[in-house]
Amino acid sequence: MLRVVLVRRELGRRTYAVLMGSSAVLSILVSIVVVALASSMPPQTLLFKVGESYANLNTLRYFSTLTIIGLGLTVAYSAKLWNIGAEGQLVVGAIGATAVALFTPLGHIPVLGIVVGLILASLLGLLWGLAAILLKLKLGLNEVLVTLLLNYIAYYTADYLVYGPWRGIYVHGYPETDLIPQESWLLRVYGYSFSYPVLLTALILVVLVYMVMKFTRLGIAIRAYGSNPRAVELSGISSFRTAVAAFVISAALAGLAGGFELFAVHRKLVPGYKIGAGLGYISIIVAWLSGLNPLLVPLSAYYVSGLMVFRYVLQIGTVNIGDAFAQFFIGIALLSTLATSSLARYKIKVVRS
Amino acid sequence: MVEEIPVVSVENLTKRFPGVAALDGVSLEVRPGEIHAVLGENGAGKSTLAKILYGIYSPDGGRILIEGHEVSIASPRDAMKLGIAMVSQRPQLVEELNVAENIALSLEEIGILTSMKRVYEYSHKLVERFGLDVDVTKPVWMLSYTQKQMVELLRALAIEAKLLILDEVTTYLPKIVKKKLYGILKSLKFEGRGILFITHKIGEALDLADRITVLRRGKVVATFTRGSVDGDALRKAMFGERYAPQNEIVKKAPQRFEEKSVLNVEGLVVLGDHGELAVNSVSFNIRRGEVLSIAGIAGNGQRELVEAIAGFRKPVKGRVLFEGVDISREPPFKRALMGLAFIPEDPFKQGVAVDLSLAENMALKLVGKMFITFEESVEVARKAIDTLSIAAPSVRTPVGTLSGGNVQKVVVARELMAQPRVLVAYNPTRMLDEASASKVRRMIRSLADKGAAVLLISEDVEEAVELGDRVAVMSRGQIVGLFSAGSVNVEMLEKLMAE
């Protein structure tokens, strides 16, 4: 009798990237077939739309944000600390950026205002994460639950501000602040929704996070913490500080992404769910698909960004298909890629028995 | 004599890991009613062989025959179905379940609807049959290590295994328990079962085995029958060119110690895992250049004592002074930074980061460095590999994939290379083969000769006497005797330990 068994194996970065790349392509094909069957849309149209989405420069708008947040999450996840709160950290980051741009004179000073706003955004994100990791380390509260709940607190804080004290004068009753001064805008590339400074920061951060994780004692300690906090202590490094560092790095990067979202995309504070827009959640998938390798984060971020653009392409395209189908499509694609990402760690073998 | 069909025979078994052949054309057989020892140094491929027979690894080449029929073993479940059971160094029990429930898990024919009453009766019978002291209704997490290993053995016996594989099971067992285990193994042998006994200890192989197969670097060096071989011949076979008779370790004359002590332990009281009194008011001091050995049967508070000194367990009373400074409240990493090195009990769970490479584990302790280049981490790893001849395919290999002895070597190397002023070592050599153990003893002695204070916990009384300037005996959480090494012998100490 023949049987199929799975054997665990070690994967190099390159092999993993190639495997995941092919798995991403396959997953999209699977989605195309499923959605075509369910929606009576011709598969070649869907295929064309997907190609169009990935070729569209607007992917870079999502790519930048997802790369920044995804990078941070790989840091926390390497320490086996599960920060599910990037969404909330992003929202408080955006609140911080708004505060600087709208309510301080810095908002009218080019460059400096933006830099200070981004610093405050990162700082607020960091504090949001710090609260969660301290609750875990000091009181033993599960960080997954805490960060998840903090997301709602962040959402409603933003809502309170835009419905209440920060509601703008020129907004015709909408729950949002006034636009921030033009000096605080990060300019987008003409005709597109992405912005060079954000993209550049994301790419610099890829290298930076990689270097920190690979070539500093802190980075090694963060990864060591994931497999054994005691080994970290024995090496003369505080495991407490290591865990805090890993967590706040991830939270600060999510906060930074929130600041960028505000300066480059929204340019005013809107209700929490619109600011977050699920970017913090989908970054979890970005981090996961990268195999927690910072150098692969851009690849997984690009894959996910393409799907997000595809969603809009489908909605505004000539083909009349509901957003539900688009989300259905994305869900199937991501689910199959995630499934293969864990299967990739195994070798399939056929044995006689 | 009629040629019996072997319980198991392997032919030309080969297993490669990236960059290394763990097994290279290994052939051997275990006959019914035979205890067959597989002897070899750390990383010789012994455990790989065991894991293949138990279906954890799949071989790259060769055949396995069970009672003459070729089989393929893809999982431990397959192995159990074929009548193969394995007990390894680390118990694999479900901690939340009780003993009987754990036994029930391995019983295929019992089915999920069998009444627990039958399971309890069956478990009881097993316990009685082998005269073990285990309460089958106790949850496993409440048991001591020794008891857990006994439950593992019961589980193996419950399936009436034809072949029992024991992979370095004696490492953590106290002497008395070892004797009991030997008794059980001999009775199993008379029932006609085959036993594959994997060890790195020459003495154990000689005591117990009918035949001994020596493995070196994945190859069979020779198979000896009982009575036709002595320790020296086995040593030569195990270590090959590395074999060299060692001189005795020379200690400094005791009067040369400075009076000021480096490590002071004052009235330490420490609780065990289940809140019991593990260390009951222990005091001692260790001077510069001195080794204090604590001998004793495992489970008498030694582990809790060293954990309290290293900072991983809070004492309820008492103080630990490092060069006069009270460090009782400092976290472990601060103690490490002050120059206190610690070799813990379990290198996997307490010593290394298993997912990280050998190089990264070593680089972690490059104190004072913020940036570590790839070259630096490779250099420190190479140094460790060379000093302790660590068998690793490359410095990038995840440490968790190395054999137990080699992981222990990584911990020893990392802790000793930091040039500590105090070393606290918990049975540093018991996972190591003779050549490596001797090397580690020499390193510890020379560390002391350079001025460090060493606390050595050892279940091996001979090692305690050989290395220690003073030898203490610990029993039921207390120091029951303290002697200078010249004034004491092994027999005296063993008597005191057993009291």
Side-chain angles (χ1 to χ4, degrees), chain B residues 109-407:
Chain B
E109 72 275 17
I110 266 194
I112 27 175
L113 293 177
T114 312
S115 78
M116 274 315 286
K117 204 176 144 210
R118 264 190 58 201
V119 175
Y120 282 114
E121 279 168 12
Y122 184 74
S123 310
H124 242 306
K125 256 187 228 154
L126 271 176
V127 171
E128 271 171 21
R129 184 166 139 209
F130 295 99
L132 296 174
D133 172 31
V134 180
D135 178 358
V136 297
T137 60
K138 246 192 184 177
V140 164
W141 62 264
M142 288 182 71
L143 304 182
S144 71
Y145 173 82
T146 307
Q147 288 172 318
K148 281 183 196 169
Q149 280 299 63
M150 289 300 146
V151 176
E152 277 282 20
L153 193 63
L154 283 179
R155 248 160 55 115
L157 300 173
I159 65 163
E160 300 287 334
K162 282 179 276 194
L163 175 69
L164 179 62
I165 305 169
L166 300 172
D167 186 4
E168 304 269 16
V169 283
T170 56
T171 310
Y172 299 114
L173 294 182
K175 234 180 192 169
I176 312 169
V177 183
K178 263 186 222 173
K179 277 195 185 135
K180 180 144 207 168
L181 175 72
Y182 286 5
I184 294 175
L185 294 184
K186 279 181 186 148
S187 75
L188 291 175
K189 175 182 149 168
F190 288 120
E191 288 175 14
R193 298 167 207 262
I195 294 165
L196 192 66
F197 188 84
I198 288 169
T199 183
H200 62 262
K201 290 180 184 148
I202 293 170
E204 286 181 359
L206 282 172
D207 281 351
L208 200 60
D210 299 305
R211 281 193 296 164
I212 303 170
T213 292
V214 178
L215 279 189
R216 187 164 86 228
R217 293 186 192 143
K219 285 190 177 143
V220 173
V221 182
T223 299
F224 304 96
T225 36
R226 187 182 185 87
S228 74
V229 70
D230 61 3
D232 258 351
L234 286 176
R235 216 160 275 135
K236 267 183 201 141
M238 269 173 87
F239 299 111
E241 69 281 6
R242 270 176 70 215
Y243 170 70
Q246 301 276 6
N247 307 323
E248 221 178 288
I249 288 177
V250 187
K251 290 176 227 168
K252 282 187 182 180
Q255 60 272 21
R256 286 183 52 198
F257 292 125
E258 295 165 26
E259 266 317 298
K260 214 177 140 206
S261 55
V262 183
L263 186 72
N264 279 64
V265 170
E266 295 174 358
L268 214 56
V269 178
V270 189
L271 298 184
D273 288 342
H274 311 311
E276 76 282 9
L277 189 64
V279 177
N280 187 1
S281 176
V282 163
S283 302
F284 56 78
N285 57 71
I286 309 178
R287 291 162 292 182
R288 240 177 84 82
E290 188 183 33
V291 177
L292 172 68
S293 305
I294 294 184
I297 297 164
N300 276 286
Q302 298 96 320
R303 184 167 60 89
E304 290 81 0
L305 174 67
V306 293
E307 286 185 351
I309 295 173
F312 291 105
R313 197 178 278 271
K314 270 201 186 107
V316 282
K317 238 172 145 182
R319 299 198 300 167
V320 179
L321 302 179
F322 185 110
E323 290 176 345
V325 183
D326 186 356
I327 56 167
S328 317
R329 300 193 163 275
E330 300 293 348
F333 83 94
K334 281 215 175 125
R335 303 183 198 204
L337 286 179
M338 290 174 80
L340 187 145
F342 179 46
I343 300 172
E345 176 182 29
D346 182 340
F348 286 92
K349 281 193 195 151
Q350 304 163 338
V352 296
V354 288
D355 297 334
L356 266 55
S357 72
L358 177 54
E360 287 169 332
N361 266 286
M362 292 301 300
L364 203 53
K365 204 162 184 170
L366 291 173
V367 174
K369 274 213 171 334
M370 196 166 140
F371 298 99
I372 295 166
T373 63
F374 187 62
E375 287 74 27
E376 282 170 320
S377 60
V378 169
E379 194 196 316
V380 59
R382 282 253 157 268
K383 225 164 121 190
I385 289 176
D386 292 345
T387 0
L388 280 172
S389 44
I390 297 171
S394 94
V395 294
R396 305 178 94 146
T397 315
V399 166
T401 62
L402 302 181
S403 76
N406 283 300
V407 178

Side-chain angles (χ1 to χ4, degrees), chain B residues 87-100:
Chain B
V87 181
S88 59
Q89 209 169 54
R90 319 156 129 264
Q92 315 275 330
L93 301 166
V94 183
E95 298 267 324
E96 282 71 27
L97 299 184
N98 70 27
V99 174

Side-chain angles (χ1 to χ4, degrees), chain A residues 91-129:
Chain A
V91 171
V92 293
I95 293 175
T98 312
V100 171
L102 218 49
F103 303 113
T104 71
L106 288 167
H108 292 283
I109 306 173
V111 187
L112 183 69
I114 291 176
V115 171
V116 173
L118 290 174
I119 291 173
L120 187 67
S122 314
L123 210 63
L124 282 175
L126 182 151
L127 289 175
W128 221 244

Side-chain angles (χ1 to χ4, degrees), chain A residues 3 5 10 80 215-217 220-221 223-224 227-228 230-231 233-238 241 349 351-352, chain B residues 58 72 74 78 312 332-333 337 349-356 360 364-366 369-372 414:
Chain A
R3 272 195 316 156
V5 288
E10 288 296 325
K80 297 213 172 84
F215 298 115
T216 68
R217 211 157 145 246
I220 300 174
R223 287 184 292 131
S227 63
N228 188 357
R230 274 194 175 207
E233 288 277 335
L234 281 180
S235 305
I237 302 167
S238 162
R241 283 181 219 162
K349 246 183 139 175
V351 293
R352 270 182 308 132
Chain B
S58 59
S72 115
D78 283 6
F312 291 105
F333 83 94
L337 286 179
K349 281 193 195 151
Q350 304 163 338
V352 296
V354 288
D355 297 334
L356 266 55
E360 287 169 332
L364 203 53
K365 204 162 184 170
L366 291 173
K369 274 213 171 334
M370 196 166 140
F371 298 99
I372 295 166
R414 190 192 62 207

